[in-house]
Amino acid sequence: MKQDNYITSSCIISNHTVYKNGAVLLSEQAAIDVPGFLNAVYKTLDTNYARYYKMDNLNKLGWLASEILLSGGFDKTKYKPEDIGVILSNRNSSLDTDQRYLKSVADGASPSLFVYTLPNIVTGEICIRNHFKGEDAFFIAEDFDAGFITNYVGKLLDDDVLQACICGWVELLGKEYKAALFLIEKVKTGDVTLFTKEKVTKIFENKKPLQDVFIAGIGVITAIGNNVAECLSSFEKGEAGMANITHLDTVHAGKVPVAEVKMTNVELADINGMEVAMSRTTLLSLTAAKEALKDAAIPGIETLRIGFVSANTVGGMDKSEDFFIDFIANNSKGKLKNVFDHECGSMTEVVANQLGIKDYMTTISTACSSSANAIFYGARLIRNDVVDIVVAGGADALTKFTLNGFNTLMILDKEFCKPFDENRRGLNLGEGAGYVVLVSEKVMKTLNQSAYCKLSGYNNSNDAFHQTASSPEGTGSYLAMKGALEKAGLTTSDIDYINLHGTGTPNNDNAEGTAVKRLFDPHYPPMSSTKSFTGHTLGASGGIEAVFSVLAIKHGLIYPNLRFETKMHEFSFEPETRFKKGQAISHVMSNSFGFGGNCSSLIFSKI
C-alpha cells in the first residue's frame, strides 16, 4: 500500500562545499584538490575511523556524506539493523581510481586493478560503520534519476522491506565530484520534506536558498544627534555636526573642525550605568547598541541565539593617551594594568557583556569599511544558521592618535568639508556609533512591528593599490558595488539612492566617482555623502550610514550633500543638495571604502 515517506535529512557535497539540510557546514578554497578537500571535511567530524584512510576518494566521498547525513539527531537505535537500507547510484563507479591506477602501470594491467573499486564498496562501508543490514544496492546509471530512486526506495518502504533508507548519488571522476544523499523515513518528525521526485530533484540540483536577513532595529549616536530621532531632525533642518574641538585636549583645538558627539564621557557613562573610566569608544558603542536592541523589541529574545559583531579602529586609545602622558612624565604614576586591555576587541567584549550577549562575539577592524564588514559578516552568520540575531555595526571615538595621523597625511579640511565638490580640500573627522539588529526570517515573523527592510546585497573587494590611497580607476570601489548588486540580484537601474563614502578628500571622491561612472553611466540615481553632516567617523561610518540607509527606505528619504557648490569636472553627475521626503525608495546602496583598498558596499531593500 502506497504511503507518504519523508526526507528527514539531506547532504549535498560539491564544488568544495558541504550542505546539511541546506545549511553550509564547511567551505574550502576552490584551489584545493579533491583529496585535500575530503580530508579537510573529515577532520571537522567528531569521529575516529581508521578505515577512512584506506578508502579511495569515491568511497571517502560517499562515507563522509553519510556521516554528515546521519549527524545531529538521527536515532538509529529505534530501528533494527535489517530495517535500514543503503541504496546509492552513480554514473561511473570508481573510474577515477581505475584511471589513475592504469596511468601508474602503463606497461601492463594488474589483476588487482578492480579489487578495491567495486561499485558496492561505498554502500558496504556505510553499512559496516553503522551496523546496517538492510537492502544494499548500487545502480549504474547514465545520469541522476530521481524518479527511479523515489520509485524504488518508496516501494521498499511501502512493502515494509525497509523502515528507513539512505539513498542518493555519489560520483567522482577527476576533479568533478558530487554526493547527494537523502535519509528517508516513514515517520513525519519535525521539519521534514515529502519524499517525491520533484523534491529530490530540487535538493539535488539546487542548494537551499540562503534565507533573507532583515533589519529589526536601529540605533545611532553622532555629532548631529544622540539617537535616531535627533539625527533625523538634524537632517531635515540641514544642521551639520562640525564645530571647534571641545572634548579632546589637543594642540589642534581651534585650528581644525571636528564632528564630536555632544555628550561628555560623564553623561555617556551616566545614561549607560557605566564607570566614567571606560573608553569613550565603549560608551558610544553601548549607547547605540542598546537603542538598536530596544527598537527591535524581539519577543522571547532570551530563548534565541544572539551574536554581537562590532567594529572599531581606535579601541581604548583615548584612555591610553591619558595614561601615558602622565606615565612618561613620571613612571611612578598610573598602573599599566589599567591600559593592557585597550585593544579593539576589548571594547566589543565589554559591550557584549553589558548587553547580555554570550552566543557569538567578534570584532572587525578593516579601517573605514569596518562597520560595513561587520554587518555583512553578521548576515552570513544568520544565513548559515550560526545564530538567529546579530547586533552589528561599530563605534569610534575621536583621539589624538587619529587626529594627528590624518593631519600628517594632510587630508584634513580646516573648514567644514564638502564631499564631491570640485574645490574639496579634505575631510573632517567625526565620532559616533551605529548598529542594526539583523534577524532571520523566522525571528522576523515573530516581531510585534514590521521589520524596516532586508539586507539584500553585500560585497567586499580590495584593489591593494596603496596603504591609504584609492586606485585612480576606483577598482576596489567598482568591484564592491558590482559584487553587491550581483549578490542582491539587482541591476544598476534598481538602485534608488546611493549613500556615498564621500569623505571629501581629492583622491577618495575622484576614485569613488570614477567607480560610480563605470557602473552607472549614463543613468545615475540620486546620491549624497552624509559625512557632510557627521564627519568621517572612521570604523563607525559603515554602521552609522547603514542606519541612515535603513531610514531612507523606511521614510522615503534622500539626504542632502551639504556645502556642495561646484560639480567635479570629471563627472556628469552631482550629489543631491536638498533633503527630500516621501520618495519612492526600494533599494539603497551604502558605500564604505577603507585604507589598504578594503572596499565594501551594502544594499538595503524594501520588503
Side-chain angles (χ1 to χ4, degrees), residues 391-468:
V391 181
D396 256 338
L398 276 168
T399 68
K400 297 176 184 179
F401 176 81
T402 48
L403 190 60
N404 291 335
F406 278 86
N407 187 59
T408 300
L409 291 172
M410 297 184 290
I411 54 176
L412 293 180
D413 194 335
K414 294 185 178 180
E415 298 185 12
F416 291 3
C417 65
K418 41 186 177 183
F420 275 83
D421 189 284
E422 174 68 17
N423 300 308
R424 64 198 182 282
R425 290 183 293 273
L427 59 84
N428 301 145
L429 284 174
E431 63 178 359
Y435 290 90
V436 296
V437 178
L438 306 169
V439 299
S440 66
E441 185 171 358
K442 181 178 72 174
V443 174
M444 183 272 290
K445 291 177 179 178
T446 71
L447 299 176
N448 295 321
Q449 59 194 20
S450 298
Y452 284 95
C453 59
K454 66 180 180 180
L455 178 65
S456 61
Y458 46 80
N459 191 72
N460 174 263
S461 298
N462 196 316
D463 57 22
F465 174 75
H466 186 269
Q467 294 96 325
T468 57

Side-chain angles (χ1 to χ4, degrees), residues 12 73 128 173 178 190 284 292 310 316-317 321 339 356-357 368 397 404 425 436 450 452 456 465 476 491 566 576 604:
I12 308 294
I128 291 170
L173 183 60
K178 185 160 188 173
L284 293 171
S310 187
M317 183 67 72
E321 289 171 348
V339 293
I357 296 176
C368 307
N404 291 335
R425 290 183 293 273
V436 296
S450 298
Y452 284 95
S456 61
F465 174 75
T491 65
T566 308
E576 293 292 316
F604 299 91

Side-chain angles (χ1 to χ4, degrees), residues 317-331 333-339 342:
M317 183 67 72
D318 57 329
K319 293 299 180 182
S320 296
E321 289 171 348
D322 292 342
F323 171 84
F324 280 105
I325 289 174
D326 294 334
F327 184 77
I328 290 172
N330 183 348
N331 61 18
K333 289 188 175 182
K335 297 179 180 179
L336 285 172
K337 69 178 183 180
N338 293 334
V339 293
H342 284 182

Side-chain angles (χ1 to χ4, degrees), residues 241-361:
M242 292 78 162
N244 287 325
I245 300 171
T246 58
H247 299 321
L248 194 64
D249 181 16
T250 170
V251 295
H252 298 295
K255 298 178 181 178
V256 294
V258 295
E260 291 177 309
V261 168
K262 302 306 182 280
M263 298 181 74
T264 66
N265 282 7
V266 173
E267 292 170 323
L268 289 168
D270 184 56
I271 64 171
N272 287 299
M274 298 285 286
E275 295 180 4
V276 73
M278 299 303 299
S279 164
R280 188 169 175 84
T281 303
T282 300
L283 296 172
L284 293 171
S285 173
L286 183 57
T287 303
K290 282 173 64 177
E291 182 187 14
L293 270 175
K294 182 179 179 181
D295 181 44
I298 299 170
I301 193 171
E302 65 280 354
T303 66
L304 300 169
R305 299 167 298 170
I306 311 174
F308 185 52
V309 182
S310 187
N312 71 83
T313 64
V314 301
M317 183 67 72
D318 57 329
K319 293 299 180 182
S320 296
E321 289 171 348
D322 292 342
F323 171 84
F324 280 105
I325 289 174
D326 294 334
F327 184 77
I328 290 172
N330 183 348
N331 61 18
S332 66
K333 289 188 175 182
K335 297 179 180 179
L336 285 172
K337 69 178 183 180
N338 293 334
V339 293
F340 82 96
D341 62 347
H342 284 182
E343 75 276 7
C344 295
S346 292
M347 311 299 105
T348 303
E349 291 180 26
V350 172
V351 176
N353 288 337
Q354 288 295 312
L355 297 174
I357 296 176
K358 304 182 186 304
D359 296 305
Y360 193 96
M361 174 186 63

